[in-house]
Amino acid sequence: RKEVEQDPGPFNVPEGATVAFNCTYSNSASQSFFWYRQDCRKEPKLLMSVYSSGNEDGRFTAQLNRASQYISLLIRDSKLSDSATYLCVVILKAAGNKLTFGGGTRVLVKP
Amino acid sequence: DAGVIQSPRHEVTEMGQEVTLRCKPISGHDYLFWYRQTMMRGLELLIYFNNNVPIDDSGMPEDRFSAKMPNASFSTLKIQPSEPRDSAVYFCASSLERESTDTQYFGPGTRLTVL
């Protein structure tokens, strides 16, 4: 079983709609969680951290469910520019704070 | 700030040749990471340095791969000899503090093709 798993998609989303997807992690001792965004043929860039209480950044909302060991990302009022691959990142401090990336979820927002 | 700089951006080589990838981290950053990304395996951490010292190289696939950081502003990842299965995008990233790994900044990557 992979340490961090994501549905690869693609999620085809009409412009203006809401899309949500999850990421599951296998190690219950994982301590920090993030979402990165990667555009086609570009480098990953930090989108947002995921806090235990959940957090929001504009149209983006991230949630953490420690009991079920998953994090989620919700995008409201999708824009064409939201089309990208969203990478889930988990850090396990016991493993030397190494970042472990999920395989990514591809989102395609269409007019 | 120029961000993380990588060179070359594209490299095409033949099996058996030596390949050297270069990275200049953001000035003042004390952590440097090398990643490899493929469709099959996603993004994998190969090795990372703190203050020019290799801390964890457990992700380096085999002895054909080596990485150095002779000073705070330069690192290399070398593959010798290269094989077709090494074809991937290699990213370098840097950060200021290990506790703040949410602020890793990635370079544009080197797209390596081994024929």
Side-chain angles (χ1 to χ4, degrees):
Chain A
R1 181 185 175 188
K2 290 184 179 178
E3 291 180 62
V4 181
E5 292 200 72
Q6 295 182 248
D7 182 337
F11 284 63
N12 293 299
V13 185
E15 191 176 9
T18 295
V19 61
F21 42 89
N22 296 336
C23 161
T24 59
Y25 59 95
S26 60
N27 195 322
S28 60
S30 298
Q31 291 162 291
S32 301
F33 309 89
F34 309 94
W35 284 105
Y36 273 67
R37 171 194 168 127
Q38 186 173 24
D39 293 310
C40 187
R41 303 180 78 85
K42 298 287 189 180
E43 70 272 23
K45 293 183 180 179
L46 177 68
L47 178 66
M48 60 194 301
S49 302
V50 185
Y51 303 125
S52 297
S53 55
N55 50 299
E56 195 173 298
D57 183 1
R59 298 180 293 105
F60 296 82
T61 300
Q63 297 277 356
L64 168 63
N65 186 315
R66 285 192 182 274
S68 300
Q69 294 183 204
Y70 73 87
I71 66 172
S72 64
L73 182 67
L74 181 146
I75 308 173
R76 285 185 302 276
D77 188 22
S78 299
K79 310 293 184 189
L80 297 177
S81 58
D82 294 333
S83 297
T85 297
Y86 292 85
L87 301 166
C88 169
V89 179
V90 172
I91 295 178
L92 177 64
K93 290 188 178 179
N97 280 337
K98 199 162 61 174
L99 272 67
T100 301
F101 284 79
T105 295
R106 191 171 172 212
V107 172
L108 294 173
V109 182
K110 300 186 174 180
Chain B
D1 197 323
V4 176
I5 298 172
Q6 290 187 247
S7 65
R9 295 292 306 276
H10 301 273
E11 176 81 25
V12 180
T13 190
E14 292 187 345
M15 183 173 62
Q17 296 298 306
E18 177 179 296
V19 175
T20 299
L21 311 181
R22 298 173 176 78
C23 175
K24 176 178 169 55
I26 292 173
S27 177
H29 282 191
D30 50 5
Y31 281 91
L32 184 140
F33 308 83
W34 281 102
Y35 292 89
R36 176 173 69 177
Q37 187 173 38
T38 62
M39 289 292 292
M40 291 296 294
R41 300 175 66 88
L43 198 60
E44 303 172 283
L45 176 65
L46 300 177
I47 184 172
Y48 76 90
F49 297 83
N50 175 220
N51 291 322
N52 315 336
V53 176
I55 303 300
D56 184 348
D57 65 355
S58 60
M60 295 285 265
E62 49 198 272
D63 291 346
R64 297 184 299 106
F65 285 69
S66 62
K68 294 182 180 179
M69 192 165 185
N71 57 63
S73 59
F74 183 66
S75 177
T76 59
L77 178 67
K78 186 175 292 187
I79 308 172
Q80 167 62 19
S82 58
E83 296 182 2
R85 60 190 168 128
D86 302 330
S87 297
V89 180
Y90 291 81
F91 288 105
C92 175
S94 70
S95 68
L96 184 55
E97 295 178 0
R98 197 61 180 94
E99 290 297 324
S100 300
T101 50
D102 56 330
T103 51
Q104 274 194 26
Y105 296 90
F106 282 75
T110 295
R111 187 171 295 274
L112 174 66
T113 301
V114 183
L115 303 175

